[in-house]
Amino acid sequence: EEPSAEELEDFRQEQTDQVRAAHILFPLPEPAQQDSVRRLARAVLDSIRSGADFGEMARRYSVDASAQRGGDLGFFSRRDMVDPFSDAAFALQDSGDVVERPVKTRFGYHVIQLLGRRTVPPMDSLRARTALMQIRQRAAYDDAIKALRDQVTIQVNPEVLGVDLNVQ
């Protein structure tokens, strides 16, 4: 569906506010292990609040590709990240601030530090339309995949695979 002129203008204005943030990603484990991963994320956050270097902690603990850059994700607009992450990053006020508690997204638990803010000129209408359409297509695709996953049950038949699952 084509975005309206009002939606395009809102999107263009929304993209002018950007933050630069760093994060430490702790992957989302199986449900039984979530408490231990959340505790580790909290312990790392407590260490940072007590003076540990955020970049060093990111290099040591993060499983994200940004870990080599000390967790630095560069500048991004609100819609560039998943909602819980963006909400937390944009809520931070001053450069150097870190979140109060780890932020849970579909990717895992994040410890986030604000590195800076900036305002950029609005993108032109054609580029905004293209970007907004890509966001909508990605969301529709994600929704379709989730709906399919919710409908499917996978069963492994060891005989078809030719595998003995009782091997130790």
Side-chain angles (χ1 to χ4, degrees), residues 10-125:
D10 289 348
F11 180 76
R12 290 179 67 221
Q13 292 307 314
E14 183 180 275
Q15 296 300 303
T16 64
D17 294 325
Q18 297 183 345
V19 296
R20 180 177 174 197
H23 80 139
I24 303 170
L25 174 62
F26 300 86
L28 200 57
E30 297 300 318
Q33 299 170 331
Q34 284 191 24
D35 283 343
S36 63
V37 171
R38 185 177 32 246
R39 281 193 301 273
L40 174 61
R42 185 62 196 195
V44 169
L45 177 57
D46 290 344
S47 294
I48 292 166
R49 288 185 171 278
S50 296
D53 181 75
F54 191 97
E56 180 55 40
M57 299 302 268
R59 283 185 281 280
R60 184 180 307 168
Y61 290 102
S62 188
V63 297
D64 185 70
S66 68
Q68 301 298 25
R69 298 184 307 275
D72 191 346
L73 297 168
F75 280 98
F76 56 89
S77 299
R78 188 173 288 277
R79 288 199 194 190
D80 293 340
M81 303 293 180
V82 293
D83 286 345
F85 188 96
S86 281
D87 292 346
F90 277 83
L92 296 170
Q93 296 300 309
D94 297 316
S95 185
D97 285 356
V98 294
V99 291
E100 300 242 346
R101 66 187 57 82
V103 176
K104 184 180 178 186
T105 70
R106 62 185 167 148
F107 301 107
Y109 291 96
H110 306 260
V111 173
I112 304 168
Q113 180 183 46
L114 181 66
L115 300 177
R117 292 181 175 277
R118 72 179 181 190
T119 301
V120 297
M123 63 176 71
D124 66 68
S125 296

